[in-house]
Amino acid sequence: NAGVTQTPKFQVLKTGQSMTLQCAQDMNHNSMYWYRQDPGMGLRLIYYSASEGTTDKGEVPNGYNVSRLNKREFSLRLESAAPSQTSVYFCASSLGLPNTGELFFGEGSRLTVL
Amino acid sequence: QQQVKQSPQSLIVQKGGIPIINCAYENTAFDYFPWYQQFPGKGPALLIAIRPDVSEKKEGRFTISFNKSAKQFSLHIMDSQPGDSATYFCAATYSGNTGKLIFGQGTTLQVKP
């Protein structure tokens, strides 16, 4: 049982390049999330998808787009990467409702933008 | 602005000590407060959680204390062990939403042998 799988685990980009982070979950969860983790800033929500077919902005959505491809997959796209987007990105999933407060996280994708 | 403020940023204790991590929130609509533990190179994982109608909750060596009037809650780790060395995040959410969490800034704990 893989849980939440993110790819790639590491990526180096040049300013202005684009890329997509992929995420898939095999727990039949309804809700999926993208967070970024930066030192001293905690985990900040970028976008989330409460259910298949819906997406909403989180705290820090600027510079990102998302696609909920199906119930299993939720991708995060950087159209024109900037050094400020250097971070560790985590995908997570949850049952949705009822809200148990439990998110299941992937192992993260470390992105460096030069 | 929905915020959860967490302190200290880092903490070093000796084995057997009782590290305490504090969090404060602003939005009184929050009604569920989980704590997450993260080991290096891994994603965070749920450790323990509390609702505001309970003042204290224990799970093994981990205890959450909750002060609803002060809008504060804290994590205590009893008899801490080197294996408890990790980053800890407090969080807050609404039970009526679909699991979207607001996280604190994180505390890096080191337990020395």
Side-chain angles (χ1 to χ4, degrees), chain B residues 29-69:
Chain B
F30 289 141
D31 61 0
Y32 200 67
F33 301 88
W35 284 86
Y36 280 74
Q37 181 187 53
Q38 182 184 30
F39 293 106
K42 302 293 185 182
L46 181 65
L47 181 65
I48 186 173
I50 195 168
R51 295 193 181 277
D53 55 347
V54 176
S55 61
E56 185 177 276
K57 183 175 182 179
K58 293 182 180 181
E59 285 189 6
R61 295 183 293 105
F62 298 91
T63 299
I64 303 176
S65 299
F66 193 90
N67 185 330
K68 187 175 181 179
S69 61

Side-chain angles (χ1 to χ4, degrees), chain A residues 37-108:
Chain A
Q37 182 176 8
D38 303 288
M41 302 292 286
L43 292 152
R44 293 180 293 169
L45 183 64
I46 305 171
Y47 270 93
Y48 67 102
S49 172
S51 60
E52 185 179 358
T54 68
T55 60
D56 284 289
K57 296 178 180 179
E59 302 167 72
V60 289
N62 292 343
Y64 305 95
N65 284 300
V66 291
S67 295
R68 183 75 182 267
L69 303 171
N70 47 55
K71 191 172 185 178
R72 292 185 63 249
E73 298 173 288
F74 189 38
S75 63
L76 178 71
R77 182 162 179 84
L78 287 70
E79 292 290 353
S80 179
S84 61
Q85 295 178 303
T86 293
S87 186
V88 181
Y89 292 85
F90 286 97
C91 178
S93 70
S94 74
L95 285 170
L97 289 174
N99 181 4
T100 64
E102 183 167 19
L103 270 57
F104 294 82
F105 285 84
E107 295 201 333

